Amino acid sequence: ITLQFSSAVRVLEKRREEECGVQIHEMDKLHVNIIERVKVAPWLPSPKAILQLSGLDNISRYFVSILLVYDGVSATVSAHPAKTIREGLSKVLMYYSPFAGRLRKKENGDLEVECNGEGVIFVEAMADNDLSVLRDFNEYHPSIPHLVFTEPVDTDLEDLHLLSVQVTSFTCGGFVVGINFYHTICDGKGVGQFLKCMGEISKGDFNPSLEPIWNREMVKPEDLLYLR
């Protein structure tokens, strides 16, 4: 993943230099300082369980990253976003316990989820710049990898943290929430529901407006043949 990021950076920087006739200076890049990196477990212990995955889940073995950017102008933004989101994350994991678990390989090579409450990664960071350094995201920014925590590429499958959340504050009062999740656990719509739930609980709601269900057994092996 790091090599892919680096290749993209070189291509885009070269293209920008050719189109604009300027060089990319170091001051144009984002500087992020990690304040704390911790493991966050569910607020209350969840029942331990082994959850089965569908065939479709088993072929989606990769991470997906999402960046949520907040300008800090809205009155609803917390004065301490990292603290608020960290607490909301711990509480929402009570409903989304698979994220706090680990993957296990079965004898046939398929994966299953062990809900053991080991937790997810949470990172609090501070940037030396304001949000303008990111421009408008119309092109890949070389500092984007610093806004999302990713596991080392040589991490064993069964040791992977299935979710990481990084909150990076900027000098202007804005902040970026970087989400990195393992696609086997959920798809884009599922993580959207998770983020909505985390937002509701972070704002003070006691329960999510929509609780998740698992029901992966609804996707049958023959359904995969149809999808092909």
Side-chain angles (χ1 to χ4, degrees), residues 11 24 38 44 62 70 78 85 91 97 101 117 122 126 131 162 177 182 184 192-193 198 217 227:
V11 169
I24 306 297
V38 296
L44 295 175
Y62 52 88
Y70 300 87
S78 169
I85 293 172
K91 291 178 178 178
S97 58
F122 180 83
M126 183 71 196
L131 282 172
L162 305 179
V177 181
Y182 204 65
T184 294
Q193 180 181 322
M198 186 170 71
E217 67 277 2
L227 290 173

Side-chain angles (χ1 to χ4, degrees), residues 5-228:
F5 273 138
S6 298
S7 298
V9 168
R10 287 194 295 270
V11 169
L12 285 168
E13 288 186 349
K14 182 65 175 177
R15 184 183 304 164
R16 185 178 172 197
E17 290 174 4
E18 292 174 350
E19 292 178 352
C20 302
V22 297
Q23 291 186 336
I24 306 297
H25 297 287
E26 188 64 28
M27 63 179 296
D28 193 36
K29 296 184 179 179
L30 178 65
H31 300 277
V32 174
N33 305 299
I34 302 300
I35 298 173
E36 186 179 26
R37 186 175 74 195
V38 296
K39 189 179 293 187
V40 173
W43 189 262
L44 295 175
S46 302
K48 294 187 176 182
I50 301 294
L51 300 179
Q52 300 304 311
L53 294 160
S54 70
L56 190 59
D57 299 321
N58 268 283
I59 63 176
S60 303
R61 302 185 184 189
Y62 52 88
F63 280 99
V64 178
S65 297
I66 299 173
L67 291 181
L68 306 175
V69 182
Y70 300 87
D71 60 14
V73 176
S74 172
T76 61
V77 173
S78 169
H80 305 285
K83 179 181 178 181
T84 301
I85 293 172
R86 176 176 172 176
E87 183 175 315
L89 174 62
S90 180
K91 291 178 178 178
V92 79
L93 287 175
M94 294 189 297
Y95 301 95
Y96 286 83
S97 58
F99 273 130
R102 296 294 182 267
L103 293 172
R104 296 290 179 260
K105 268 190 178 181
K106 299 193 289 187
E107 290 185 359
N108 65 357
D110 286 347
L111 300 178
E112 59 187 10
V113 183
E114 180 182 356
C115 295
N116 52 21
E118 289 192 16
V120 304
I121 293 293
F122 180 83
V123 179
E124 180 181 358
M126 183 71 196
D128 294 340
N129 319 71
D130 60 31
L131 282 172
S132 65
V133 72
L134 298 178
R135 298 186 291 277
D136 56 6
F137 283 108
N138 282 336
E139 63 179 28
Y140 181 90
H141 193 282
S143 296
I144 285 178
H146 299 296
L147 299 173
V148 181
F149 174 82
T150 56
E151 299 270 17
V153 294
D154 58 349
T155 303
D156 290 339
L157 178 70
E158 297 186 352
D159 294 329
L160 289 175
H161 294 86
L162 305 179
L163 173 72
S164 68
V165 177
Q166 177 173 327
V167 179
T168 305
S169 299
F170 287 73
T171 57
C172 59
F175 61 96
V176 173
V177 181
I179 310 292
N180 195 47
F181 69 96
Y182 204 65
H183 200 291
T184 294
I185 300 298
C186 71
D187 58 9
K189 187 171 184 178
V191 79
Q193 180 181 322
F194 168 81
L195 293 173
K196 181 176 184 292
C197 177
M198 186 170 71
E200 292 170 344
I201 292 179
S202 296
K203 290 189 297 183
D205 293 353
F206 291 102
N207 298 297
S209 57
L210 184 64
E211 293 191 18
I213 57 173
W214 191 254
N215 287 356
R216 301 299 175 91
E217 67 277 2
M218 294 180 65
V219 181
K220 307 296 183 183
E222 54 268 26
D223 294 332
L224 296 181
L225 296 176
Y226 173 77
L227 290 173
R228 291 176 183 174

